[in-house]
Amino acid sequence: MANIASARKRARQAVKLNAHNSSLRSTLRTAIKAVRKAVAKGDKAAAAAVFQQSMSTIDRIADKKIIHKNTASRQKSRLAAAVKAMA
């Protein structure tokens, strides 16, 4: 455990920040899974609608630097390809 007051405060802040970032990462994963699930069901219109919402979520989380912008771009690209490939 930290001995200096500023280090103790920093440790408390780190716990809160970690919880917040974990929540955002969970939201990101849920958004990606929602698109994958919609694609698996086969309804292209529904999948496109869910994809639009997920793109917003992915961009928002990348802007907060929870994930790297290139990772966000790669995820969006793969989801877009999956939606586009639907019959």
Side-chain angles (χ1 to χ4, degrees):
M1 184 63 193
N3 293 324
I4 298 170
S6 61
R8 285 195 297 266
K9 179 177 179 180
R10 204 66 190 129
R12 286 193 309 269
Q13 289 175 330
V15 170
K16 283 173 60 175
L17 188 62
N18 183 284
H20 185 253
N21 288 347
S22 296
S23 172
L24 290 175
R25 248 189 315 278
S26 175
T27 303
L28 171 75
R29 292 185 187 122
T30 302
I32 292 170
K33 286 178 188 174
V35 177
R36 293 278 180 212
K37 194 178 286 189
V39 168
K41 284 187 179 177
D43 185 4
K44 189 167 186 171
V50 173
F51 174 65
Q52 286 298 324
Q53 293 173 343
S54 294
M55 284 221 337
S56 171
T57 301
I58 293 169
D59 285 334
R60 190 172 67 247
I61 291 173
D63 286 343
K64 294 178 183 179
K65 295 184 170 60
I66 304 300
I67 60 169
H68 195 274
K69 62 186 172 77
N70 291 354
T71 303
S73 181
R74 183 179 67 247
Q75 294 286 358
K76 292 190 312 184
S77 176
R78 288 178 180 173
L79 292 174
V83 171
K84 188 176 179 182
M86 292 178 72

